[in-house]
Amino acid sequence: VQLQASGGGSVQAGKSLRLSCRASGRILSLNIMGWYRQAPGKQRELVADCTIGGVTNYADSAKGRFAISRDNTKNTVYLEMNSLKAEDTAVYYCAAGNQVGPRSEKGYFYWGQGTLVTVSS
């Protein structure tokens, strides 16, 4: 499975960005796709994910500002990020896997190359 992420960039605080991630390859076993991020000096953290059935999950920091969606016909997941803050600055990673039971980073088997989002205040 290959994940190709795009859409990062530099924006001012309060603006919006949309990230996209397309999965290709042997994707039939995947039941979840999501976005993680890693800021400088910090651990990687979940931002949002979405099951193949459309059940979403958000980090508290993303609730109300970010929206994850997926187009199963295109094997693509999107992350719409609104009202961006300086603390959203990070490398954002697309991830895909097969979650069984409670969501866990261990259920993500495939990772994209990362796309940098920089938010200036």
Side-chain angles (χ1 to χ4, degrees), residues 9-25:
S10 297
V11 296
Q12 290 186 324
K15 300 297 185 180
S16 301
L17 275 177
R18 188 175 84 152
L19 305 182
S20 300
C21 176
R22 182 177 180 274
S24 60

Side-chain angles (χ1 to χ4, degrees), residues 29-53:
S29 63
L30 303 178
N31 69 2
I32 196 163
M33 293 183 72
W35 293 93
Y36 278 73
R37 69 185 181 187
Q38 187 167 22
K42 294 188 177 181
Q43 287 188 328
R44 187 167 62 190
E45 62 177 3
L46 173 71
V47 178
D49 59 28
C50 183
T51 69
I52 195 169

Side-chain angles (χ1 to χ4, degrees), residues 3 27 29-34 95-99 107-110:
L3 302 176
I27 61 174
S29 63
L30 303 178
N31 69 2
I32 196 163
M33 293 183 72
N98 191 296
Q99 295 280 356
Y108 286 99
F109 307 139
Y110 306 102

Side-chain angles (χ1 to χ4, degrees), residues 50-84:
C50 183
T51 69
I52 195 169
V55 178
T56 59
N57 177 49
Y58 293 93
D60 288 343
S61 60
K63 289 178 181 177
R65 298 189 299 126
F66 294 3
I68 189 170
S69 60
R70 62 188 292 168
D71 185 337
N72 292 331
T73 64
K74 297 180 180 179
N75 301 319
T76 299
V77 64
Y78 305 96
L79 184 68
E80 185 75 34
M81 303 186 292
N82 301 308
S83 302
L84 282 162

